[in-house]
Amino acid sequence: MGALIEISNAYLNLFHHSNETTPHARLLELLNQNQEWVKLALHGLRECPFRKDVPTANDIVELNAQGRRYNLATPCLAAMELRWAENTTTALELSEPVLETMVAFRLTNNYDMPPEWFKRLIATRAQIVARVMGPLISAQITVKKEHADGLYALAHDADYAEIAKLITPALLKSFPSKAHKKQLQSLRLLIVSLMTSLDKPVQLEIIADKLGSKPGDVTQRVYWFTAGLQVEPDLYLNAARQYIAHTQARISHLIELVHEQREREGSRIALPVAALEFLIEILGPRCTPRWPNQSGWVSPAMELGRYVEGLISMLAGNHDDDAMQALAALLLHKTLKQWEDSLRRAMFDQRLTRRKASFQPASVAKVSSTLANLTPANAADLWALTLHHLQQLAHEIRNGNTNGYRQYWAGDKSKLEDECRDNL
């Protein structure tokens, strides 16, 4: 076993002890440039998934819950890399129990970028990954592990959307109603997974179930009101406002969930004006739109400021009257003084949006009438036509072949204005 671990460490270059760029070169380096030994080493790796002492996925999950791991993890992961390198077509042609074991090893040894064989498995055999990932996350939440393996990807990686649909509802249903502080990040990630991957009827069913049960943690209730506010604002906005808005601690919990959601770009939910106004009203005072000039660490308050700017931009892009009224109302908030420039800019942009939305192109008949010098349609048309005529006349008087400019001059002196006016 010790030899297998040394070989697999070299093959994967886990500890970056070698400067060689290929697995074969690293094995040669490890095995004294002996090709025969390399051949035997690769044979040993290939056989790892089929050893009699390979544990099941359930065994791996149970041992992981105790904070321990199997020694065969690294050799088996190296074996999968080897299979993929030798033949991508047949690399995953293994029995489902063996594939589940390989998935469990990968999820509990998530120390680098996902290998290609694992990505292919996620894309083509989502159910196999889900059968391992669900129990693993559940077990880690139960033992109060602060960062459950695979849960971040479930929430923020679109490639895991199908897996999220399979396991997120059950994980949320089994989540304890009174949770330890270490378990709350897992809940936030599960809620993000719900909001980004599940269908709306499923979302509403889970949210209603959580808010309809007897009150548990205040923190969890705030999370679920925040989720409801975004999924079905008409149903949850007023209740969320009453429960959250007047307590600093509860607003802080709302910010925690918003912060978790914001990390997945392009997933922002389109919210109605009332919900946008509410979120800007309670989040704006706790951040600033100004970023430091120098490079450095970006604080949560700075990231929250970027999120609030996004909410203001949503209002600016909405051409309805209530969006304009919401921006005007937000400008009156003394606690949003630092956002005054952003809000005024948004009001200007919103006017442009309204103008574009309400613009009606002229009909062919109106365009033809204008071009034919017939009756102008309005004062603006009359002004434009008159100005155009004057510009044409000025050009002809100054540059025409008939020396028309002479009618405004008497010898070397210009005529009086009244005479010029009459001639014009």
Side-chain angles (χ1 to χ4, degrees), residues 211 221-222 224-230 232-248 250-251 254 272-283 326 329-330 333:
L211 289 175
R221 201 158 184 81
V222 171
W224 287 114
F225 269 123
T226 305
L229 160 71
Q230 296 177 73
E232 193 63 63
D234 293 339
L235 183 61
Y236 289 107
L237 176 58
N238 290 334
R241 187 191 299 273
Q242 293 172 10
Y243 191 77
I244 298 171
H246 305 296
T247 306
Q248 294 295 328
R250 295 181 183 183
I251 293 174
L254 179 147
V273 170
L276 290 171
E277 184 179 2
F278 168 65
L279 288 172
I280 294 168
E281 186 180 313
I282 64 172
L283 299 179
L330 289 167
H333 279 271

Side-chain angles (χ1 to χ4, degrees), residues 51-124:
R51 289 168 58 106
K52 292 182 180 180
D53 55 347
V54 171
T56 65
N58 289 336
D59 293 335
I60 297 169
V61 170
E62 289 177 7
L63 198 66
N64 177 263
Q66 302 171 29
R68 299 163 60 201
R69 65 190 293 275
Y70 281 93
N71 290 328
L72 267 174
T74 308
C76 282
L77 291 174
M80 293 304 295
E81 290 280 8
L82 177 59
R83 288 178 63 87
W84 185 262
E86 290 179 337
N87 192 332
T88 58
T89 304
T90 61
L92 301 181
E93 290 182 359
L94 299 168
S95 67
E96 290 196 358
V98 171
L99 286 175
E100 288 174 7
T101 294
M102 300 302 109
V103 170
F105 276 143
R106 169 61 200 174
L107 290 173
T108 54
N109 294 270
N110 189 14
Y111 38 67
D112 206 345
M113 296 296 291
E116 293 302 319
W117 67 267
F118 190 68
K119 291 180 182 178
R120 177 71 64 83
L121 208 56
I122 291 171
T124 61

Side-chain angles (χ1 to χ4, degrees), residues 145-358:
K145 185 174 180 180
E146 192 167 359
H147 303 288
D149 293 318
L151 192 47
Y152 185 88
L154 195 72
H156 293 294
D157 191 337
D159 292 340
Y160 284 75
E162 190 61 33
I163 298 171
K165 289 181 180 180
L166 293 170
I167 68 175
T168 299
L171 288 170
L172 283 170
K173 185 176 181 180
S174 63
F175 196 90
S177 58
K178 292 187 178 181
H180 189 274
K181 186 178 180 180
K182 289 183 177 180
Q183 297 170 308
L184 290 177
Q185 188 191 26
S186 295
L187 177 59
R188 292 195 295 271
L189 288 168
L190 284 171
I191 292 176
V192 174
S193 175
L194 170 140
M195 297 179 69
T196 55
S197 300
L198 302 191
D199 297 328
K200 189 171 181 178
V202 180
Q203 293 173 336
L204 290 174
E205 181 183 349
I206 294 173
I207 292 169
D209 179 63
K210 292 294 182 180
L211 289 175
S213 58
K214 61 181 181 179
D217 292 351
V218 170
T219 305
Q220 290 194 50
R221 201 158 184 81
V222 171
Y223 290 168
W224 287 114
F225 269 123
T226 305
L229 160 71
Q230 296 177 73
V231 174
E232 193 63 63
D234 293 339
L235 183 61
Y236 289 107
L237 176 58
N238 290 334
R241 187 191 299 273
Q242 293 172 10
Y243 191 77
I244 298 171
H246 305 296
T247 306
Q248 294 295 328
R250 295 181 183 183
I251 293 174
S252 297
H253 297 322
L254 179 147
I255 291 173
E256 290 168 359
L257 182 59
V258 165
H259 177 76
E260 197 66 63
Q261 289 177 261
R262 198 171 59 255
E263 294 184 9
R264 181 164 173 177
E265 292 297 331
S267 63
R268 188 172 293 163
I269 299 171
L271 296 173
V273 170
L276 290 171
E277 184 179 2
F278 168 65
L279 288 172
I280 294 168
E281 186 180 313
I282 64 172
L283 299 179
R286 290 156 181 82
C287 55
T288 173
R290 296 176 181 84
W291 283 63
N293 295 327
Q294 69 276 15
S295 60
W297 181 67
V298 178
S299 68
M302 292 159 62
E303 290 189 343
L304 187 63
R306 186 165 53 186
Y307 178 76
V308 172
E309 284 184 329
L311 298 177
I312 294 174
S313 296
M314 286 187 187
L315 283 178
N318 189 324
H319 58 77
D320 294 338
D321 289 339
D322 53 354
M324 179 180 64
Q325 293 167 7
L327 286 168
L330 289 167
L331 262 174
L332 298 177
H333 279 271
K334 294 180 180 179
T335 56
L336 296 175
K337 196 68 178 175
Q338 69 270 36
W339 291 98
E340 183 175 346
D341 289 344
S342 297
L343 290 169
R344 290 193 184 281
R345 213 166 35 242
M347 290 186 73
F348 177 80
D349 292 341
Q350 204 264 350
R351 290 192 192 101
L352 292 179
T353 303
R354 284 167 57 81
R355 194 176 303 154
K356 291 177 182 178
S358 60

